[in-house]
């Protein structure tokens, strides 16, 4: 007899398919491993999206597991960017470690809510452990702490909320921005990540109060101009609340002078936050930028496991020198929020979210399974790879490096260095090179404009990339450029 939808329930289909799920996962994983070797970097990108909407506008009926998976293979997979391809280099979005898909499966199976410690003792202990490891990595003391969040943008937002609460005091929580009676100010360089501006909008501070200080030739904030600007603003009755330093700028991966920024923050009794979303991890490496020696001077640091710890999206982290500052900013009372028998930190008091997943578990798994030694080895390798790539470019007459490059980001352009090639033409051709590479699916590079020059940008965060891949890329660009001009 055929089963109808009326005979089914969520429980019954789960029981029916419980074994099949593992089979499907096995088939999917084996298929994906093969596909990763043969598929291009960016199939379908810049062309069209999968047609999942008109195919099934309102999914009322239960669909068999086989048919759902068929759709995954046929409709979804071909449109996925292949982040495991060695030439996926456009952003600091590396492939995720294999162990983390297992971690994600366990997180979903257990479905712990890491809000109160009593509701998720294991999840709480794991998150405390992970956060403590990250605090140790940057050189923080025992009173430090932090919280796992969705990514660098959220970490930066939560850092600035914490900064405002710390600098303006308790009253800001009660009366909001009216507390300062004037413009609050956030200081950073022109090269800071735009998530700082987004945070200023969300917090009601406004982008015009994000004061961008010019950079020197190495794209590091000009500290004397910063000092002068803060003094002027104080004289003008503004309310400086935070300086944001970059441990890895968005375009070229430069590191600000963190020691001087910390001193200026102390002098003015304001908060010092460091956006080290990817760059803070490099502190582990023997080849780290020297500014990282002063990372621990920051009041707070953004450090994203979904960047250089190779976690899947979305796994970010904010750490603070004094964890009480987070509780001051985010702890809130409510009768339904009654903390029964707290056995550890209640992570809902450390950030915006109440219901929270156990995603720290994935980082914990990786710390155990990979170990810090192998992470260090990989960071060393990525920094050396970036250096080798710079040498390749310097030895190729048709290429030219653009901007500074002191860590894992290298910007460059194709330039035949002939007189009839104007700057404007070079910009157009290099942009075309980038879009052609992506359309063909050969490589995924990002583009940035540095002092009016359009550059191709490579972020070395992919553990599959080798120097041979980069030679293939440069040869490909040379050949392609002949048909583009
Ligand atoms: C330096 C820096 N800060 C913040 C962010 C924002 O991080 P997310 O994309 O995780 O929100 C990024 C992302 O590229 C970044 O490179």
């Amino acid at each position: 007899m055929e089963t109808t939808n009326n005979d089914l329930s969520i429980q019954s289909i789960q029981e029916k398919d419980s074994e099949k799920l593992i089979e499907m996962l096995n088939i999917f994983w084996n298929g994906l491993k093969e596909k990763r070797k043969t598929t291009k970097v960016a199939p379908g990108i810049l062309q069209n999206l999968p047609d999942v909407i008109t195919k099934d506008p309102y999914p009322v009926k239960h669909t068999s597991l086989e048919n759902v998976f068929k759709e995954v293979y046929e409709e979804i997979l071909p449109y996925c960017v292949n982040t495991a391809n060695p030439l996926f280099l456009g952003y600091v979005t590396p492939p995720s470690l294999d162990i983390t898909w297992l971690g994600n499966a366990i997180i979903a199976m257990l479905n712990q809510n890491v809000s109160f410690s009593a509701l998720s003792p294991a999840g709480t202990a794991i998150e405390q452990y992970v956060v403590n490891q990250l605090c140790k990595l940057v050189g923080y003391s025992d009173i430090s702490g932090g919280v796992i969040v969705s990514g660098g943008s959220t970490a930066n937002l939560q850092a600035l909320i914490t900064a405002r609460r710390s600098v303006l005091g308790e009253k800001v929580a009660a009366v909001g921005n009216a507390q300062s009676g004037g413009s609050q100010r956030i200081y950073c360089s022109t090269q800071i990540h735009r998530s700082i501006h987004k945070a200023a909008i969300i917090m009601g501070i406004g982008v015009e109060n994000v004061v961008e200080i010019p950079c020197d030739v190495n794209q590091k904030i000009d500290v004397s101009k910063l000092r002068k600007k803060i003094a002027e603003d104080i004289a003008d009755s503004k309310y400086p609340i935070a300086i944001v330093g970059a441990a890895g700028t968005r375009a070229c991966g430069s590191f600000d002078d963190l020691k001087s920024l910390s001193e200026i923050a102390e002098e003015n009794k304001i908060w010092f936050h460091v956006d080290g979303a990817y760059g803070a991890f490099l502190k582990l490496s023997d080849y780290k930028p020297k500014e990282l020696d002063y990372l621990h001077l920051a009041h707070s640091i953004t450090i994203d496991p979904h960047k250089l710890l190779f976690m899947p999206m979305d796994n970010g982290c904010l750490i603070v020198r004094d964890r009480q500052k987070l509780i001051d900013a985010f702890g809130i009372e409510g009768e339904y929020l009654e903390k029964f028998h707290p056995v550890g930190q209640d992570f809902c008091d450390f950030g915006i979210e109440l219901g929270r997943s156990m995603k720290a578990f994935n980082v914990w798994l990786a710390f155990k399974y990979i170990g810090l030694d192998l992470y260090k080895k990989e960071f060393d390798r990525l920094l050396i790879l970036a250096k080798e790539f710079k040498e390749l470019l310097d030895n190729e007459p048709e290429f030219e490096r653009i901007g500074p490059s002191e860590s894992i980001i290298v910007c460059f352009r194709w330039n035949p260095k002939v007189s009839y090639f104007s700057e404007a033409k070079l910009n157009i051709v290099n942009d075309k090179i980038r879009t052609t590479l992506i359309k063909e699916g050969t490589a995924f590079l990002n583009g940035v404009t540095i002092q009016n020059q359009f550059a191709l940008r490579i972020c070395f965060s992919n553990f599959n990339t080798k120097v041979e891949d980069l030679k293939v890329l440069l040869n490909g660009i040379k050949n392609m450029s002949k048909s583009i001009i």
Side-chain angles (χ1 to χ4, degrees):
M1 206 174 64
E2 204 184 304
T3 333
T4 69
N5 249 350
N6 290 342
D7 305 321
L8 297 174
S9 67
I10 289 180
Q11 268 176 328
S12 75
I13 59 171
Q14 294 215 133
E15 266 170 43
K16 166 172 75 72
D17 287 335
S18 127
E19 295 302 318
K20 248 194 263 169
L21 276 176
I22 302 294
E23 263 171 55
M24 293 281 167
L25 186 61
N26 204 2
I27 296 170
F28 182 80
W29 175 232
N30 285 319
L32 183 66
K33 275 194 290 191
E34 275 315 299
K35 260 197 157 21
R36 277 178 175 174
K37 288 185 207 147
T38 52
T39 49
K40 296 180 166 185
V41 189
I45 200 100
L46 300 183
Q47 285 152 35
N48 50 344
L49 293 179
D51 181 19
V52 291
I53 298 170
T54 51
K55 284 231 164 102
D56 199 1
Y58 194 52
V60 185
K61 300 268 187 254
H62 163 60
T63 309
S64 73
L65 196 57
E66 287 79 358
N67 282 344
V68 175
F69 260 78
K70 191 165 176 287
E71 208 172 315
V72 174
Y73 286 119
E74 290 172 8
E75 310 288 340
I76 309 289
L77 204 51
Y79 292 87
C80 285
V81 170
N82 183 0
T83 55
N85 186 298
L87 289 180
F88 181 76
L89 296 164
Y91 300 90
V92 188
T93 303
S96 54
L97 298 168
D98 295 347
I99 187 88
T100 63
W101 65 250
L102 184 62
N104 268 358
I106 295 172
I107 291 167
M109 282 178 201
L110 297 174
N111 198 28
Q112 297 292 287
N113 184 350
V114 194
S115 51
F116 311 134
S117 50
L119 187 56
S120 175
T124 303
I126 283 168
E127 189 156 342
Q128 279 180 207
Y129 177 86
V130 163
V131 162
N132 286 346
Q133 294 305 318
L134 295 174
C135 287
K136 270 193 215 159
L137 189 152
V138 303
Y140 274 169
S141 75
D142 287 353
I143 63 159
S144 62
V147 60
I148 297 287
V149 294
S150 58
S153 306
T154 315
N156 282 337
L157 168 65
Q158 293 195 181
L160 290 171
I161 293 172
T162 312
R164 178 171 62 184
R165 169 64 180 78
S166 172
V167 173
L168 297 181
E170 206 177 344
K171 214 170 157 209
V172 75
V175 301
N177 287 340
Q179 151 76 357
S180 58
S183 304
Q184 295 162 20
R185 294 284 217 207
I186 297 165
Y187 302 86
C188 54
S189 85
T190 50
Q191 290 302 315
I192 208 72
H193 193 267
R194 300 295 289 181
S195 51
I196 297 300
H197 303 71
K198 209 183 219 184
I201 296 170
I202 297 168
M203 291 167 71
I205 290 175
V207 252
E208 285 182 9
N209 289 307
V210 177
V211 183
E212 290 189 1
I213 306 293
C215 287
D216 62 18
V217 284
N218 291 318
Q219 299 212 352
K220 294 168 189 279
I221 191 167
D222 183 326
V223 286
S224 57
K225 288 198 174 120
L226 171 69
R227 196 174 251 120
K228 188 162 169 273
K229 181 66 186 157
I230 294 178
E232 280 168 14
D233 277 0
I234 292 172
D236 195 22
S237 306
K238 308 284 191 226
Y239 285 79
I241 56 171
I243 297 172
V244 183
T249 53
R250 59 168 202 260
C252 292
S254 294
F255 285 67
D256 283 334
D257 174 353
L258 303 183
K259 185 165 181 277
S260 297
L261 294 188
S262 154
E263 284 162 7
I264 299 173
E266 288 302 319
E267 283 160 21
N268 290 285
K269 300 197 171 24
I270 59 178
W271 191 269
F272 175 37
H273 174 64
V274 171
D275 182 355
Y278 64 89
F281 293 107
L282 299 176
K283 188 155 172 84
L284 268 186
S285 169
D286 291 339
Y287 307 99
K288 63 174 178 270
K290 64 176 182 353
E291 279 79 1
L292 283 174
D293 286 342
Y294 303 102
L295 195 52
H296 62 286
L297 298 177
H299 291 100
S300 56
I301 302 167
T302 289
I303 178 164
D304 276 354
H306 69 199
K307 294 193 170 75
L308 287 191
L309 290 185
F310 317 120
M311 291 294 118
M313 294 282 156
D314 47 351
N315 201 319
C317 185
L318 171 66
I319 50 177
V320 288
R321 205 163 77 189
D322 174 359
R323 63 177 170 270
Q324 184 58 39
K325 298 286 183 188
L326 280 182
I327 302 172
D328 292 345
F330 295 104
I332 197 152
E333 303 287 311
E335 80 283 356
Y336 62 96
L337 296 178
E338 189 199 342
K339 317 280 164 47
F340 48 98
H341 308 301
V343 288
Q345 289 170 13
D346 290 322
F347 275 102
C348 60
D349 288 343
F350 280 63
I352 294 171
E353 294 154 345
L354 175 62
R356 309 173 63 258
S357 83
M358 201 171 70
K359 58 188 165 206
F361 175 71
N362 247 335
V363 187
W364 179 84
L365 264 186
F367 277 161
K368 299 264 163 184
Y369 173 70
I370 303 287
L372 290 178
D373 273 359
L374 292 189
Y375 270 122
K376 177 199 167 296
K377 199 169 168 188
E378 181 58 20
F379 301 159
D380 286 351
R381 193 192 74 87
L382 290 170
L383 283 161
I384 292 170
L385 193 61
K387 191 166 160 281
E388 285 173 343
F389 184 58
K390 283 192 281 183
E391 283 161 11
L392 279 183
L393 291 169
D394 293 346
N395 289 324
E396 287 273 3
E398 286 184 34
F399 290 100
E400 147 180 61
R401 284 201 280 130
I402 306 283
S405 161
E406 67 170 308
S407 62
I408 55 163
I409 298 182
V410 181
C411 299
F412 69 103
R413 67 178 177 178
W414 176 78
N415 182 357
K417 301 181 185 98
V418 284
S419 57
Y420 54 86
F421 253 79
S422 65
E423 281 296 317
K425 171 92 176 161
L426 280 175
N427 286 351
I428 293 168
V429 170
N430 277 280
D431 193 15
K432 210 151 177 207
I433 289 173
R434 176 183 62 129
T435 43
T436 311
L437 286 170
I438 297 175
K439 268 190 189 154
E440 282 180 350
T442 328
F444 202 115
L445 308 190
N446 180 225
V448 280
T449 301
I450 301 163
Q451 281 161 358
N452 300 324
Q453 296 180 324
F454 180 87
L456 303 165
R457 173 178 176 262
I458 290 195
C459 303
F460 290 96
S461 64
N462 185 333
F463 49 75
N464 291 325
T465 312
K466 311 259 181 316
V467 75
E468 291 71 35
D469 302 308
L470 302 169
K471 288 180 184 163
V472 171
L473 172 70
L474 292 184
N475 279 335
I477 294 178
K478 275 198 281 190
N479 293 336
M480 170 192 298
S481 55
K482 298 196 176 62
S483 58
I484 285 178
I485 52 175

